[in-house]
Amino acid sequence: MADKTILKVEDITVEFNGAAVLKNLSFEVKEGEVLTILGPNGAGKTVLLKALLGVIPFKGKVIWQEGVKIGYVPQRLPFIKDIPMSVGEFLKLKKVSSHEIKEILQSINLEKNILKKTAGDLSSGQFQRILVGWALLSAPQVLLFDEPTTGIDIGGQETIYDFLEKLQKERNLTILLVTHDLSVVYEMASHCLCLNKKMLSYSLPKELDSSRLSRLYGGEVKFHHHDSHHRKHD
């Protein structure tokens, strides 16, 4: 794994109406790493991703490697399901060639006939893959995912995480992943950021024990290490 820093965050704070949603957050991400971001609802995880993308104001510094391309896969895009547009038309909004779309479909394990379907015709798992494909069409070095399994059943969750792991290795991607799935943290992550408006810890996954998780989520938290072929969800 390369040791070149691709992202450096220095003391960022985000405030809405005078209240701090994120406070004094600092960390680094190296090329090729997978950083998982954990925290309870309302902890500021999505706000952090939006600050890193520069779409909301913040205090402090967000320093990306010069010239880096970033892809973003949001938690949900409900309005897309209501638009009478085919998958093919949606992907072509990126102004890419049919050849590039064909290559992306292969990467996300979907057949060519899906291009004629509308978003409303797709399963949750297929729709999630299309959103990933949309992000990949920009040929990013970094992908930001906001809870990619939201709204997908257990089988779909297993598929999407195996899929992300495959993409990360194939393309040497750096991934920042908001997730509640602890088994994914232990299996995929290079580092884990525990967040509840401020950073509670930034550690290796093996250092993420029950006491640290209890402090993050409150109360007793049960967790298990699983191998990638027998993944369960906590």
Side-chain angles (χ1 to χ4, degrees):
M1 182 177 294
D3 60 1
K4 191 173 181 182
T5 299
I6 202 164
L7 169 66
K8 188 171 185 178
V9 175
E10 296 181 354
D11 205 28
I12 70 165
T13 294
V14 177
E15 295 180 347
F16 293 148
N17 299 321
V21 182
L22 287 178
K23 191 173 182 181
N24 305 127
L25 196 62
S26 299
F27 61 91
E28 288 188 11
V29 181
K30 307 287 188 186
E31 284 184 354
E33 287 188 341
V34 177
L35 173 66
T36 52
I37 302 167
L38 288 175
N41 291 334
K45 303 183 298 294
T46 298
V47 170
L48 172 59
L49 294 188
K50 290 181 177 179
L52 297 180
L53 290 166
V55 297
I56 59 173
F58 60 86
K59 298 173 184 175
K61 292 182 180 179
V62 172
I63 305 165
W64 287 100
Q65 186 184 102
E66 188 174 354
V68 72
K69 289 185 178 179
I70 305 165
Y72 174 56
V73 183
Q75 193 173 113
R76 56 181 70 86
L77 279 179
F79 64 90
I80 291 291
K81 293 262 188 181
D82 299 324
I83 297 176
M85 176 188 293
S86 71
V87 170
E89 290 168 334
F90 174 60
L91 293 177
K92 283 182 178 177
L93 291 175
K94 280 277 189 175
K95 305 204 182 308
V96 293
S97 68
S98 297
H99 178 70
E100 287 172 293
I101 289 175
K102 182 181 177 182
E103 285 188 336
I104 286 299
L105 286 180
Q106 290 175 344
S107 288
I108 61 177
N109 297 329
L110 289 175
E111 298 294 329
K112 189 177 179 181
N113 60 8
I114 205 163
L115 294 174
K116 297 178 182 178
K117 296 183 178 181
T118 65
D121 296 329
L122 305 182
S123 69
S124 295
Q126 288 173 327
F127 186 63
Q128 188 75 67
R129 286 171 184 264
I130 290 297
L131 291 182
V132 174
W134 168 268
L136 289 176
L137 280 168
S138 301
Q141 291 97 44
V142 182
L143 279 182
L144 275 55
F145 287 88
D146 193 355
E147 295 193 61
T149 61
T150 297
I152 301 178
D153 62 22
I154 293 296
Q157 286 186 21
E158 290 185 343
T159 302
I160 201 72
Y161 281 123
D162 289 339
F163 167 54
L164 293 186
E165 199 167 13
K166 175 180 79 79
L167 280 180
Q168 193 264 337
K169 290 175 180 174
E170 284 179 356
R171 294 170 178 257
N172 191 33
L173 293 168
T174 303
I175 293 178
L176 278 68
L177 172 65
V178 171
T179 181
H180 287 294
D181 191 326
L182 297 176
S183 61
V184 171
V185 175
Y186 297 120
E187 290 162 18
M188 281 188 67
S190 309
H191 289 85
C192 178
L193 171 63
C194 291
L195 179 66
N196 195 352
K197 298 190 177 178
K198 61 181 181 179
M199 187 169 73
L200 300 182
S201 67
Y202 179 81
S203 66
L204 298 173
K206 65 183 181 183
E207 297 169 346
L208 194 64
D209 57 19
S210 56
S211 63
R212 190 167 286 181
L213 289 167
S214 295
R215 189 158 64 96
L216 177 63
Y217 289 107
E220 183 179 350
V221 178
K222 294 181 180 179
F223 68 100
H224 307 278
H225 293 264
H226 304 295
D227 66 53
S228 59
H229 300 293
H230 299 87
R231 193 172 281 162
K232 297 179 183 178
H233 301 272
D234 301 306

